[in-house]
Amino acid sequence: MANEVILLDFWPSPFGMRVRIALHEKGVEFEYRDENVRNKSELLLKMNPVHKKIPVLIHNNKPVCESLIIVQYIDEVWSNKNPLLPSDPYQRAQARFWADYVEKKLYDCARKAWASKDEEQEAGKKEFIEHLTVLEKQLGDKPYFGGDSFGYVDVTLIPYYSWFYALETEGNLKVEESNPKLIEWAKRCMQRESVAKALPDEKKIHGFLLELKKTLGIE
Ligand code: GS8
């Protein structure tokens, strides 16, 4: 079967980055289409009529939505190279648990850390660091979350690293001071071609965030 793979994405999106990393890990060639999330294409609305959000992977004309579901799909379809989820059912469950933790915990407090002020901002920053600390403890002394090889939890979390500089600058915090081991892990991940290719430059993300703040009327 010929594989036609199209990714509807938006370059600063941590969710889109997960899918890019997974495709690069598997060596899948794909057509990248950057969406304007304020003026969505007909194709995006047709392919993700429920949430109307990127990322959407269109594989041989069939859409798959939601970044974590897409990453699992990619891992199952291109199973011959660089497995992302472990084969042992218990280890798989653990990987899914931690990816779910990242998914549920980080986004909202990160947003509070850059988009709000005063007490709310301080609470967002505190929460963000608390969650990173839980993750750092889970990583322990392992090179990657799943052990010796780069996997599902790494793919889920590493996109946030490209936002750290913007969050640190706008939120006046320093992740390296509270979570040095997590930064070591992030730098290790960045050495992988798949990650380096998928993550935008941190200064570019900061520029995007400044524009977004202007658009949202946040000083
Ligand atoms: C989140 C995707 C998302 O928020 C996933 O794929 O994991 N749970 C989903 N996408 C945003 C862009 S990134 O902030 C999006 O498409 N927003 C458009 C909108 O909300 O209308």
Side-chain angles (χ1 to χ4, degrees):
M1 182 177 67
N3 273 317
E4 189 197 47
V5 181
I6 299 172
L7 175 62
L8 306 183
D9 200 342
F10 178 45
W11 69 269
S13 166
F15 310 107
M17 290 176 216
R18 291 172 180 164
V19 179
R20 283 172 242 164
I21 296 170
L23 289 169
H24 293 322
E25 280 290 326
K26 302 289 184 174
V28 177
E29 282 190 28
F30 62 100
E31 184 187 328
Y32 178 90
R33 293 197 196 167
D34 210 54
E35 284 281 330
N36 176 352
V37 289
R38 297 192 182 278
N39 182 17
K40 297 169 188 169
S41 70
E42 284 300 315
L43 186 63
L44 174 57
L45 299 175
K46 185 173 148 212
M47 292 291 166
N48 190 356
V50 176
H51 296 304
K52 304 178 178 65
K53 288 185 179 190
I54 61 89
V56 180
L57 186 83
I58 310 172
H59 184 201
N60 296 329
N61 296 317
K62 290 186 302 205
V64 186
C65 301
E66 287 294 312
S67 62
L68 292 182
I69 294 172
I70 303 172
V71 172
Q72 295 191 39
Y73 175 80
I74 292 170
D75 200 31
E76 286 172 14
V77 173
W78 290 277
S79 56
N80 56 330
K81 195 178 167 195
N82 294 353
L84 297 172
L85 275 149
S87 52
D88 174 72
Y90 185 75
Q91 294 305 328
R92 277 171 95 81
Q94 292 308 301
R96 288 185 173 127
F97 174 89
W98 286 106
D100 183 61
Y101 183 90
V102 172
E103 190 59 4
K104 287 186 176 136
K105 301 289 188 186
L106 285 189
Y107 190 82
D108 289 346
C109 56
R111 194 179 161 90
K112 265 199 242 165
W114 66 259
S116 53
K117 281 197 178 306
D118 307 326
E119 274 170 33
E120 203 184 341
Q121 183 177 38
E122 288 311 311
K125 282 159 62 174
K126 188 163 169 272
E127 228 183 282
F128 185 64
I129 295 296
E130 275 169 12
H131 296 319
L132 291 184
T133 304
V134 171
L135 288 162
E136 189 178 59
K137 205 165 154 219
Q138 172 58 22
L139 174 69
D141 291 321
K142 303 188 291 295
Y144 298 107
F145 277 88
D148 286 333
S149 54
F150 180 82
Y152 186 57
V153 182
D154 306 297
V155 175
T156 304
L157 180 61
I158 193 62
Y160 281 100
Y161 180 59
S162 66
W163 277 78
F164 279 9
Y165 174 77
L167 289 175
E168 289 177 336
T169 312
E170 296 311 297
N172 190 24
L173 62 121
K174 194 90 190 104
V175 178
E176 190 152 26
E177 280 167 16
S178 49
N179 305 96
K181 279 198 164 172
L182 205 65
I183 297 294
E184 275 175 36
W185 159 83
K187 289 185 175 157
R188 192 173 306 125
C189 293
M190 285 300 282
Q191 283 170 8
R192 295 185 76 78
E193 199 189 340
S194 63
V195 179
K197 261 163 69 177
L199 267 54
D201 179 71
E202 58 185 17
K203 302 265 166 56
K204 201 174 157 203
I205 298 270
H206 185 221
F208 167 77
L209 186 61
L210 293 176
E211 283 302 314
L212 185 61
K213 282 176 88 167
K214 260 194 229 160
T215 313
L216 298 173
I218 302 168
E219 281 299 301

